[in-house]
Amino acid sequence: MAEIVIYTKPGCPYCIRAMSLLDRKGAAYTEIVASNDPAKKAEMVARSNGAATFPQIFINDQHIGGCDQLHALDAKGGLDPLLAA
């Protein structure tokens, strides 16, 4: 099973939408609430090469991007193979 990490902000509709897609896929993930934790937010920005918006999603240490990128990856059939890896 893939290792998935998602950096989130409470109440963020994009975070909720991204996690809902992962939930529908049956994917287990680690949620890191980073919006109010400067160290966790800095970690997220560093891992994502400067992306500071929420969410930021990583699958097997590969930066996927945010909610829109996750859904686009799914729409073109690229998400399921990553989740199965």
Side-chain angles (χ1 to χ4, degrees), residues 7 32 34-52 54 58:
Y7 291 86
I32 299 174
S35 59
N36 295 324
D37 184 332
K40 291 294 183 192
K41 185 164 184 183
E43 174 186 290
M44 176 191 82
V45 171
R47 284 186 73 190
S48 65
N49 294 314
F54 293 100
F58 298 83

Side-chain angles (χ1 to χ4, degrees), residues 6-43:
I6 179 168
Y7 291 86
T8 64
K9 175 180 177 178
C12 164
Y14 297 103
C15 300
I16 293 166
R17 190 167 167 246
M19 289 187 293
S20 291
L21 174 58
L22 293 171
D23 289 341
R24 285 194 308 275
K25 297 282 185 181
Y29 54 87
T30 300
E31 178 184 4
I32 299 174
V33 180
S35 59
N36 295 324
D37 184 332
K40 291 294 183 192
K41 185 164 184 183
E43 174 186 290

Side-chain angles (χ1 to χ4, degrees), residues 60-79:
N60 294 327
D61 287 322
Q62 176 185 342
H63 182 228
I64 302 304
C67 179
D68 291 343
Q69 290 81 17
L70 182 69
H71 278 84
L73 183 63
D74 186 44
K76 68 179 184 180
L79 181 58

